[in-house]
Amino acid sequence: MAKQFKPVVFAANDLIEGDSVYLGAEGWTRDIRGAAVAETRVARDVLAARAEGDAAIIVGPYDVEVSLEPAGPWPLKRREQIKASGSTTIAVGPEAQVARAA
């Protein structure tokens, strides 16, 4: 028996900034709630082709299984939930040193 298909969105990293982005109807967005959701295997293949075609602005596109929440899609796996929640890195460099000194 075939594995049941779960809805997916496509994630990647912005080529310049490096942060997580999601493929939306109008292009790439940093907010997963704006991501285009594929609810079938055919729709997944269409989104995959779009994502692969954007190699000039993103790197490493992959699909993320999501649940369909009232506020928008939300990742099923914890790792992806952390990414969707925003950066977990600590700022370093001159700006961070000024902020720490204040």
Side-chain angles (χ1 to χ4, degrees):
M1 179 168 209
K3 181 180 170 186
Q4 181 182 4
F5 185 82
K6 293 181 182 168
V8 298
V9 300
F10 271 82
N13 290 93
D14 182 277
L15 192 57
I16 303 298
E17 300 294 324
D19 50 344
S20 295
V21 291
Y22 303 92
L23 182 57
E26 302 293 323
W28 294 90
T29 177
R30 285 169 171 73
D31 187 349
I32 193 169
R33 294 171 294 185
V37 178
E39 295 189 50
T40 66
R41 285 182 174 82
V42 172
R44 182 217 172 273
D45 293 345
V46 169
L47 289 181
R50 278 186 56 207
E52 292 293 332
D54 284 341
I57 57 174
I58 56 98
V59 64
Y62 61 97
D63 60 346
V64 176
E65 291 183 346
V66 294
S67 62
L68 303 177
E69 305 292 327
W74 191 247
L76 296 177
K77 295 187 177 175
R78 183 68 180 140
R79 175 178 180 241
E80 298 302 328
Q81 291 171 355
I82 292 168
K83 284 182 163 186
S85 296
S87 177
T88 59
T89 60
I90 299 171
V92 293
E95 301 84 13
Q97 292 172 0
V98 169
R100 281 189 223 136

